Amino acid sequence: MSETASDFLGVQPVEKRHRFDEAALGRWMQVNVDGFDGPLTVLQFRGGQSNPTYRLETPGRKYVLRRKPFGVLLPTAHAVDREYRLITALETARFPVPHAYAICMDPTVIGAMFYLMEAVEGTIHWDAALPDLTPDTRRKVYEAMISTLANLHLIDYAAIGLGDYGRPGNYFTRQIERWTKQYRASETRRIDEAERLMEWLPKTIPEQTRTSIVHGDYRIDNLVVAGRGDRIAAVLDWELSTLGDPLADLSYMLMHWELPASERGALGGLDLQALGIPTRDDALLLYCACTGRSGIPNLDWYFAYNVFRLACIFQGIAGGCETEPRRTPMPPMRNPVPRVWRRLPGILRSVPAPEKIDTLAARPAGHYTIGRNSHVPI
């Protein structure tokens, strides 16, 4: 088992800094959660979720609690109320999400806003190589992951009551402005590559042709896999979700094929053919087939945007650690920004030119590579 997997796998007693009044929670659940019957045991999921997450056990049922962190937060961060609204709506569309039981907007109950959802049975794979599975099952897991993302992007969001969940159009313009503001608000040191991207990205935004629900953090370890690996039982961690350009999700997912396998959820450098895992180009083809696209131009731009966004997130973590010493970075994310920047030139050089995308379907899986010069100012 990798260090990343061992850092995140399973539950543990609640850390002292994350404890709350469990008796108060039990009283609230007795009134607000249908079918609740104690006694209640509270455990904490391992790892450093940005929204602390707990498993609640009773004799008859298990629940998951997600809450905002304690303390002063950035203005739009940790919106667990948006998560709750979204998964409630997605359940009506038969999209795989946990059932949402109830939300508490009153921070005086346990010290922060929280919501309760179903504890979905299945497996979360923290190691993207899926070392415990056969090559055939690995392929099924990744194909299910890709097709599930495509299905998300095909949902009629207005029909399930999410027409005002975000502002359609100009998605990347708004996202770049938002992340730049959050970067500045939590900036601890100057990163020259980020400065150049903050100047370049707004001037070169590709045209947005579709609007969909965007997950915002779609990767293998945010999925609960059930059955024989061919079914996604639940998609988790919707904190960054909104309405926007589906290519943000797609490119973020595909970037994990390029980041080194030592990074969380990444596959770079692995022998994908031997493992039975689809190549990045195969993943792109499957997504395009599911969504009726002929290809994705400007993929290098979307990769650059996602690397910039990651830098903003990590700056926020670092800034939080300096202003609130009790908060510590997530174990697998120790100072990753320099490694991500160093990897970016190789990521961009490996992106297929748009005119080559349509020829991929004729090539055997695992045998397609192409390089080209990138114009991203890194």
Side-chain angles (χ1 to χ4, degrees), residues 354-376:
E355 63 271 16
K356 298 291 185 180
I357 295 287
D358 292 336
T359 68
L360 287 175
R363 297 178 179 267
H367 290 278
Y368 181 82
T369 57
I370 185 169
R372 68 188 179 94
N373 294 325
S374 169
H375 302 290
V376 177

Side-chain angles (χ1 to χ4, degrees), residues 60-317:
R61 183 176 292 170
K62 295 177 182 177
Y63 306 84
V64 172
L65 182 151
R66 293 261 290 172
R67 69 162 176 84
K68 285 192 172 190
F70 300 138
V72 179
L73 306 175
L74 292 172
T76 60
H78 309 287
V80 297
D81 50 333
R82 283 177 59 83
E83 287 187 42
Y84 177 81
R85 178 189 175 192
L86 182 75
I87 65 174
T88 301
L90 286 175
E91 187 178 11
T92 68
R94 299 184 180 276
F95 187 81
V97 289
H99 172 68
Y101 288 106
I103 185 168
C104 178
M105 308 290 285
D106 181 358
T108 65
V109 175
I110 67 167
M113 182 192 301
F114 68 90
Y115 74 92
L116 299 174
M117 61 182 170
E118 170 191 12
V120 178
E121 295 296 327
T123 302
I124 297 176
H125 294 286
W126 296 104
D127 188 335
L130 311 181
D132 297 328
L133 304 183
T134 65
D136 183 61
T137 305
R138 293 186 191 111
R139 176 184 58 80
K140 290 179 179 178
V141 169
Y142 273 93
E143 288 179 349
M145 172 185 177
I146 297 158
S147 61
T148 298
L149 180 65
N151 289 339
L152 173 68
H153 293 162
L154 294 174
I155 290 174
D156 183 345
Y157 55 86
I160 59 172
L162 295 175
D164 61 347
Y165 193 69
R167 288 182 289 168
N170 299 318
Y171 171 76
F172 284 109
T173 298
R174 290 183 280 107
Q175 287 293 301
I176 292 168
E177 290 175 354
R178 173 197 174 194
W179 285 111
T180 299
K181 289 177 182 177
Q182 294 203 178
Y183 184 96
R184 294 300 186 203
S186 57
E187 188 172 10
T188 58
R189 64 184 180 91
R190 180 183 174 88
I191 300 176
D192 289 338
E193 295 90 342
E195 297 295 329
R196 289 196 290 272
L197 279 181
M198 277 188 279
E199 179 180 357
W200 178 80
L201 286 170
K203 300 175 181 177
T204 55
I205 297 173
E207 179 185 3
Q208 180 175 338
T209 60
R210 302 187 187 185
T211 298
S212 73
I213 299 169
V214 173
H215 179 278
D217 194 16
Y218 195 83
R219 59 187 186 213
I220 192 72
D221 54 279
N222 276 332
L223 307 177
V224 180
V225 180
R228 299 178 179 177
D230 56 355
R231 183 172 68 88
I232 304 302
V235 180
L236 308 176
D237 197 359
W238 295 87
E239 179 186 349
L240 299 176
S241 62
T242 188
L243 300 183
D245 193 324
L247 297 185
D249 270 348
L250 172 65
S251 57
Y252 179 75
M253 178 186 72
L254 293 177
M255 194 170 69
H256 288 81
W257 267 257
E258 301 298 336
L259 293 173
S262 58
E263 301 295 337
R264 180 178 170 189
L267 295 165
L270 299 179
D271 186 344
L272 299 183
Q273 187 174 18
L275 290 170
I277 296 173
T279 65
R280 189 199 63 193
D281 295 336
D282 293 331
L284 177 58
L285 279 174
L286 176 56
Y287 176 88
C288 288
C290 291
T291 56
R293 292 178 181 266
S294 61
I296 309 296
N298 300 312
L299 194 55
D300 56 349
W301 188 95
Y302 299 105
F303 278 170
Y305 161 77
N306 277 299
V307 171
F308 167 66
R309 192 185 69 146
L310 285 175
C312 295
I313 292 170
F314 292 130
Q315 278 280 32
I317 294 171

